[in-house]
Amino acid sequence: MATDNDIIQFKPDLSGNGLRIGIVVGRFNKEVGEGLLAACTAELAKLGVQRTDMTIVTVPGALEIPLALQKLAGTDKVDALIALGAVIRGETHHFEVVSNESAGGVMTVQLDTGIPIANGILTTDNDEQAKARMHDKGVDCARAAVEMTNLLKAIDEEQ
């Protein structure tokens, strides 16, 4: 946190030391999920999160992710959560249902519990787009989870 002319400003803090992170991965589109997870856990480790402080849960698909996130959030064993998976457009409207409902569920859990959740459920038109995005999205989610956890802690300390 920094102050400038009596303005309180919180600076991004990407130190993962001591943080406990829960990760929920959808197994549908398995290759993409595994790619997201590998990039995410590698980045968490770079940021200082110990592997023993990472809890990884797999679920059948994107629609099951919010419930698993909610259950983990209720354990008091995680400081932040990460949702990983892929919804790839097919020939039916099911894509819109799954992508919208999973995103809404993730947001609801985050707001209801006050635990930050980085949403890494990719929504793409095809497999190639998902594979092209999986590494960067996994990294982004790790960074967002750590930064948001530290921000919320800093805000709590300021009060």
Side-chain angles (χ1 to χ4, degrees):
M1 181 182 64
T3 57
D4 180 25
N5 299 330
D6 298 322
I7 297 172
I8 298 170
Q9 181 178 359
F10 295 92
K11 302 280 185 180
D13 179 354
L14 292 172
S15 172
N17 295 325
L19 298 185
R20 302 162 305 157
I21 309 293
I23 305 168
V24 178
V25 185
R27 292 187 306 269
F28 202 80
N29 297 308
K30 185 177 179 180
E31 183 180 351
V32 176
E34 289 174 351
L36 286 160
L37 180 61
C40 181
T41 56
E43 185 66 15
L44 287 170
K46 285 181 189 174
L47 297 174
V49 177
Q50 298 299 307
R51 292 208 179 265
T52 55
D53 287 331
M54 297 180 206
T55 301
I56 300 169
V57 175
T58 66
V59 296
L63 289 176
E64 292 77 28
I65 290 173
L67 181 59
L69 291 168
Q70 184 180 51
K71 191 68 168 179
L72 283 171
T75 67
D76 291 329
K77 295 181 181 178
V78 295
D79 299 306
L81 293 163
I82 299 172
L84 300 175
V87 182
I88 300 172
R89 187 179 300 278
E91 296 180 12
T92 69
H93 293 286
H94 189 64
F95 169 85
E96 283 84 7
V97 171
V98 174
S99 59
N100 290 336
E101 293 300 324
S102 64
V106 169
M107 184 59 69
T108 297
V109 173
Q110 179 174 230
L111 294 175
D112 287 352
T113 65
I115 294 178
I117 302 175
N119 187 348
I121 303 173
L122 295 175
T123 53
T124 63
D125 288 326
N126 54 54
D127 291 333
E128 293 76 28
Q129 288 176 349
K131 289 174 185 173
R133 292 179 58 204
M134 67 186 179
H135 180 269
D136 288 347
K137 187 53 124 176
V139 169
D140 290 347
C141 285
R143 296 173 69 83
V146 168
E147 181 178 338
M148 289 303 297
T149 301
N150 290 329
L151 173 62
L152 296 181
K153 286 181 178 185
I155 292 170
D156 284 344
E157 290 171 4
E158 178 60 27
Q159 294 183 9

